[in-house]
Amino acid sequence: MDQFKGQARLPKFAVPKRYDLTLKPDLTACRFAGSVAVELNIVAATSFIVLNAAELSIANGSVSFTNRDSSKVLKPSSVALFEDDEILVLEFPETVPIGLGVLAIQFEGTLNDRMKGFYRSTYEHNGEKKNMAVTQFEPADARRCFPCWDEPAFKATFKITLDVPSELIALSNMPIVEEKIDGNFKTVSYQESPIMSTYLVAVVVGLFDYVEDHTSDGVKVRVYSQIGKTNQGKFALHVAVKTLELFKDYFATPYSLPKLDMIAIPDFAAGAMENYGLVTYRETALLYDDQHSAAANKQRVATVVAHELAHQWFGNLVTMEWWTHLWLNEGFATWVSYLATDSLFPEWKIWTQFLDEITAGLKLDGLAESHPIEVEINHAGEIDEIFDAISYRKGASVIRMLQSYLGAEPFQRSLASYIKKYACSNAKTEDLWAALEEGSGEPVNKIMTTWTKQQGYPVVSVKATDQKLEFNQSRFLSSGAEGEGQWIVPVTLSFGSYDVRKNFLLQTKSETLDVKEFLGTSIEDKGVDSWIKLNVDQTGFYRVKYDELLATKLRHAVEKQLLTATDRFGILDDLYALTVARQESLTSLINLMGAYRDEVDYVVLSNLITISYKIESISADAVPDLLEHLKQFFINLFQYTAERLGWDPKPGESHLDAMLRGEILTALALFGHDLTLDEASRRFQAFLEDRNTPLLPPDIRKATYVAVMQRASKSNRLGYDSLLKIYRETDLSQEKTRILGSLASSPDPDLILEVLNFLLTSEVRNQDVVFGLPSSREGRDVAWAWLKEHWETLLKAYGSGFLITRFVGATVSPFASFEKAKEVEEFFATRGKPSITRTLKQSLERVSINANLVESVKNEKNLADTVKELAYKKY
């Protein structure tokens, strides 16, 4: 039996075709019993059957294999469950005959509280606390519910039956065929599913209500929620119906099931899960309350619903062959969710916000401890860690880059043929490239291999001499180190106007381009309006470094608003990344930021705010004497927008202005702007007296809560205690999340420690604890001490899922000294777990990047003069 231990994949000598699965959850004892009969095709001579199982007790006497042709029943001579490998090995006294047969197994398990496998979630009904039973099987946890071939390539059909208390709602992937009530229990049988992977099987049992609609071609769509919250499901229902119709056209293939249920689960580790026909969500990602949800919540619901429904085609109908190709699922669903949201809500200008996806991908991929898009997976324990910004965000970004290069129409046509070809089957990255190559006539495989099989991305340096541009590419690393690698880069350029463009593939380390036809004279002789912008509209996944002449002209173009919002964003973000990598000075970055004083675009200002937080944090360590001047500069920078937007929503204002108001006010509060803090305090007081006051609409609540916490401390705790009171009163998950995300922004370390301890009480759901972790400089030492003290507790609660990585990243990454990095390394040397290895290395790399940046900023000659001049400049 030992030959099967330590293997990445199951042996291929038995292939499942159909599962007949019965489950009986006991919601009081938090246990479940079940039986499964798996139709197998034995394709090679063997006396073993090996499948996945974990945390289950198998009734040994119940295991049998019946050959279909001879009806001979074989009983295994040995049944062994190897927990480390999560496999069940059945050894038979004779060779199992080749051909079809049925493997029968009975089993029992625990409805765990770890939000994976078959687990329990709690809710209140009429003041009474109750349990519901929920499944979360992706990536490799169906094996915790029933013995199965728990790999994406082993697709089969599923016939599911549930035995449940008769008053409860029981849902699965398919519609109900029959319900038999027997006293207090009922047996619910579902239609057999189409062929699908085990990670998409789903079951939910509890008390729910729903709202319902239909698509134009008759697919029944429902949104389930706790009783009393059904109105909050109406917005998601509208998005789902429209999105199913849109994707049917886009993929030229109809949705393949008769119904689609979407359900809000109170305890849920991820944002949502695309189970075929029964999509599960966190409440914050599905429910929207007109009175109490912010514009950002509305957008979140729309993009998450679109993302999960994209998976019904890309992931469920066509499934990745192995987790190496996870990005095919996640990168694609992320990209296409923007396509759908833009179609439904064009006024949101969602494609400009796609820049946030690109930036998150670039940030993680700028680390030496990143990984390629296609990453080798050798153990189920490694899969969780690749549900990250590389698979989702870099994945989505390279798809957008490719679509932009090939053109929207050939791209869509090729995708539709790929879906048709691999429907009900599995595909690899190369299969998608082949379909796109065939549909476009372009060398897609050759180009894209450089982006998916090697980690990282290039910085393209451009230098102007006379009537030529010199391009160089090298791997960009945030550490400033020299990196290996070469890419085929789709370079796009604009010359002084978006009507004058040039596109080419940079296929070598360096290339010189004659641009005489675009300029007519040398670049040096052209006026300041003759800007040249690379990576037009930021469709490419790379950084750009301009020489001084080109950078000066671009700064002028930013000031004069001659560029699109996406290009204004790109110029800022690239210079910021080069500053972090110590290839440009902080002085030059602050000079450029000054050019954005009249900026009005949401996504550009949002990034300016993010960058200003980072500069404040680094400067506090490097040049503390400059800190107050820097804060004044940032207050000046955002004052214009704050005055334009005010505190109160304006009739007919845009969705983006509604989101921006909250972010700008939060920034002014964090930079200590007294007028903002005073006004927040006044409005908060009105809200405490009347929860329906128009003075505190949802879009400014988070900003107000953060402002209140700026003046809260252990000795002045009124604001803190008031926020806890609101937290305890509300049953809206979004409001709870807003409060949790504000509490630790207090500058008082003693109060932050109290917040951290509150996070571990039963008042905060495990899924939400990470929202309360401090990200401030003031909070980092106390958070680290707290993490060390509670590490065993956290490991017990989160150690088997991806949430544990969030604790490590959030606590370690804010540090900026080599001594602290050493201390962290020593602590984890004896407490490491495979599931945090990658995150820990990435976090330590970030600490050393911060530490080097602090040293570099200390030595900048003109920084103080520049900051002081800009901080008090009258405009």
Side-chain angles (χ1 to χ4, degrees), residues 731-769:
D731 73 335
L732 188 73
S733 301
Q734 288 160 352
E735 181 73 342
K736 284 190 186 290
T737 304
R738 270 197 284 267
I739 295 168
L740 286 176
S742 312
L743 293 177
S745 62
S746 162
D748 177 8
D750 292 337
L751 190 57
I752 291 172
L753 180 59
E754 192 173 321
V755 172
L756 288 166
N757 289 331
F758 170 69
L759 295 177
L760 292 185
T761 65
S762 60
E763 291 193 69
V764 182
R765 291 184 187 268
N766 279 1
Q767 63 169 13
D768 294 330
V769 173

Side-chain angles (χ1 to χ4, degrees), residues 168-328:
L168 299 183
I169 299 279
L171 301 172
S172 187
N173 306 82
M174 299 299 288
I176 294 171
V177 193
E178 188 183 29
E179 234 177 69
K180 279 190 198 150
I181 295 181
D182 181 6
N184 292 334
F185 281 86
K186 62 181 175 182
T187 300
V188 187
S189 309
Y190 302 86
Q191 276 180 33
E192 188 162 332
S193 76
I195 184 169
M196 65 179 186
S197 304
T198 47
Y199 78 87
L200 295 166
V201 172
V203 165
V204 180
V205 181
L207 273 180
F208 302 100
D209 204 349
Y210 63 86
V211 283
E212 177 181 299
D213 199 357
H214 290 79
T215 63
S216 53
D217 53 350
V219 175
K220 186 191 286 179
V221 183
R222 286 180 175 178
V223 174
Y224 283 86
S225 62
Q226 287 178 60
I227 289 165
K229 292 189 177 184
T230 49
N231 275 342
Q232 296 174 31
K234 286 179 176 171
F235 176 66
L237 181 65
H238 163 74
V239 172
V241 168
K242 294 284 178 232
T243 301
L244 282 180
E245 291 174 348
L246 183 116
F247 287 158
K248 175 189 160 190
D249 291 342
Y250 190 81
F251 297 125
T253 302
Y255 173 67
S256 50
L257 301 186
K259 63 95 175 172
L260 171 74
D261 292 331
M262 307 199 299
I263 185 163
I265 306 294
D267 300 281
F268 196 80
M273 175 60 211
E274 68 270 17
N275 314 302
Y276 222 168
L278 176 56
V279 184
T280 45
Y281 294 80
R282 252 180 204 244
E283 291 195 338
T284 50
L286 187 68
L287 304 181
Y288 173 77
D289 180 318
D290 283 333
Q291 290 303 109
H292 299 287
S293 298
N297 300 133
K298 190 174 195 176
Q299 183 178 299
R300 168 96 177 131
V301 170
T303 52
V304 176
V305 168
H307 179 107
E308 301 312 322
L309 299 199
H311 278 311
Q312 306 301 309
W313 285 263
F314 235 89
N316 301 9
L317 187 61
V318 179
T319 310
M320 66 214 154
E321 192 277 332
W322 179 240
W323 299 104
T324 295
H325 308 281
L326 169 71
W327 84 278
L328 274 180

